[in-house]
Amino acid sequence: MNEAIIFDVDGTLSETEETHRRAFNTAFRQAGLNWHWNQSLYHELLAVTGGKERIRYYIESFGGKGAPEDELDEFIPALHARKTEAYTMMVTGGEVELRPGIRDLISDAQERGFRLAIATTTTPANVDALLSVTLGGSSDFEVICAGDSVLNKKPAPDIYELALDKLGLPATACVAIEDSRNGLLSSAAAGIATVVTPGIYTSEQDFKEAALVIDDLVAVDFRAIYRLTSPVR
Ligand code: XBP
Ligand code: MG
């Protein structure tokens, strides 16, 4: 079998955004900043993918009192590194788990010979922590494309194009699993048929470009997903 399923991470493999949000707030406190991202503000900030980009968007949109205006290029990555440290500790501490149905989909797809990959905006250390806590490591995934491995993050297609390149497959041989409009736009722009499983922060978004929208992965016949890939001729 030379077809693949490419998984997004945050909101898809696992409902992680509440843990991300708390990790951002922990980093802000540790840095002595009086910033606090509550759920409604975070919902708005999630329009921007990538934690460093999200922090910059927050500073530009809401003032970011306490950030050194002329040293943001150093300040933001350092603050984001603190956030990643806090997030990976929370994940390693068992705060997140796979979304219902994901483990069964991974096993069933592997039994049918599908190759598995990851295309995510999140930081590689976050992926490692999640996969080691939930799946005992990353060996289920032949290709993992994450974070700053591409310049243009989702909704740009770059991360999915990188995954296709590393898999050595055409888009038609793959199906993407996503949770957000940003992710769907990214995979669709790479020409990949996409299944959306909406999450807590994305359920109201528009998924008209999706090949399939599945609210509950547990109740679905996975063959509806597999039928979206075509064998490489
Ligand atoms: C979701 C994102 C990430 C996370 C935060 O990634 O946009 O930025 O919100 O992680 P995806 P970082 O849905 O593509 O998995 O702070 O490490 O970016
Ligand atoms: Mg996502």
Side-chain angles (χ1 to χ4, degrees):
M1 162 89 72
N2 205 3
E3 293 157 63
I5 303 178
I6 309 175
F7 290 86
D8 164 55
V9 173
D10 294 310
T12 300
L13 284 185
S14 172
E15 268 298 3
T16 55
E17 290 297 353
E18 268 302 278
T19 304
H20 279 298
R21 183 180 68 85
R22 296 202 340 276
F24 279 108
N25 288 330
T26 299
F28 300 155
R29 266 197 315 279
Q30 287 173 348
L33 297 162
N34 68 349
W35 307 351
H36 182 73
W37 290 358
N38 62 27
Q39 287 179 345
S40 74
L41 174 56
Y42 195 62
H43 188 268
E44 189 179 332
L45 296 174
L46 275 173
V48 176
T49 64
K52 293 189 289 294
E53 295 80 357
R54 193 167 302 143
I55 292 170
R56 186 176 291 271
Y57 173 67
Y58 170 72
I59 291 169
E60 288 166 358
S61 311
F62 298 91
K65 189 167 169 296
E69 277 172 39
D70 51 355
E71 292 166 8
L72 289 183
D73 291 349
E74 295 77 26
F75 172 77
I76 290 174
L79 183 58
H80 187 251
R82 283 175 181 258
K83 176 266 172 182
T84 300
E85 180 76 28
Y87 177 80
T88 50
M89 281 175 65
M90 291 171 180
V91 170
T92 309
E95 291 199 18
V96 294
E97 58 190 8
L98 295 180
R99 281 189 73 176
I102 285 288
R103 192 183 299 276
D104 290 344
L105 174 56
I106 287 171
S107 312
D108 187 67
Q110 284 177 318
E111 279 159 30
R112 294 167 186 265
F114 281 92
R115 298 162 68 189
L116 304 185
I118 280 177
T120 176
T121 306
T122 198
T123 303
N126 297 345
V127 182
D128 293 344
L130 178 71
L131 296 183
S132 70
V133 167
T134 57
L135 292 169
S138 59
S139 60
D140 293 302
F141 300 93
E142 180 185 331
V143 162
I144 296 179
C145 301
D148 293 337
S149 57
V150 291
L151 191 60
N152 307 306
K153 293 188 168 87
K154 299 175 184 177
D158 303 38
I159 198 78
Y160 277 101
E161 288 169 345
L162 179 62
L164 291 175
D165 183 54
K166 286 187 168 190
L167 284 163
L169 288 176
T172 51
C174 301
V175 58
I177 317 281
E178 269 285 351
D179 73 300
S180 70
R181 180 159 183 75
N182 275 331
L184 167 60
L185 291 174
S186 176
S187 52
I192 304 169
T194 303
V195 173
V196 174
T197 55
I200 54 169
Y201 275 110
T202 61
S203 53
E204 85 294 341
Q205 292 179 355
D206 175 1
F207 299 122
K208 65 177 173 301
E209 298 83 353
L212 204 50
V213 177
I214 297 176
D215 289 322
D216 179 3
L217 207 50
V218 174
V220 88
D221 178 340
F222 294 143
R223 288 173 297 182
I225 298 172
Y226 305 148
R227 276 197 284 272
L228 296 170
T229 65
S230 310
V232 179
R233 295 275 170 246

